Amino acid sequence: MGSTSAQGWYLFVFIVGFTLGPAGLFALGWPIALLGFALMAVALVGFRSIKEPAPEASLRMENKPAPSVARTGAH
């Protein structure tokens, strides 16, 4: 199963944010860190917005008895 263009862009934004957040905390300053964390939040919200809902059939689980295995002979 392939990914869509939107998934690729949100992954890119997440990686950039994941890089800028800690880099800002340790070397580049608070504004860069906040920008990085904001980009991560945007990416996570974006991923949630493009998520497809589960099909109705997969939400209903049916309890079916497991098929019996015929045993032949002694062990």
Side-chain angles (χ1 to χ4, degrees), residues 24-69:
L25 287 176
F26 291 106
L28 301 177
W30 283 102
I32 301 298
L34 292 176
L35 175 67
F37 295 136
L39 286 174
M40 284 195 302
V42 166
L44 292 175
V45 168
F47 275 129
R48 297 279 305 191
S49 71
I50 60 175
K51 180 180 169 186
E52 294 179 7
E56 277 296 316
S58 68
L59 294 176
R60 291 186 307 252
M61 299 188 108
E62 297 179 15
N63 292 330
K64 295 181 182 177
S68 60
V69 178

Side-chain angles (χ1 to χ4, degrees), residues 1-13 47 50-51:
M1 178 179 208
S3 61
T4 64
S5 175
Q7 289 171 330
W9 279 109
Y10 286 128
L11 178 62
F12 174 71
V13 169
F47 275 129
I50 60 175
K51 180 180 169 186

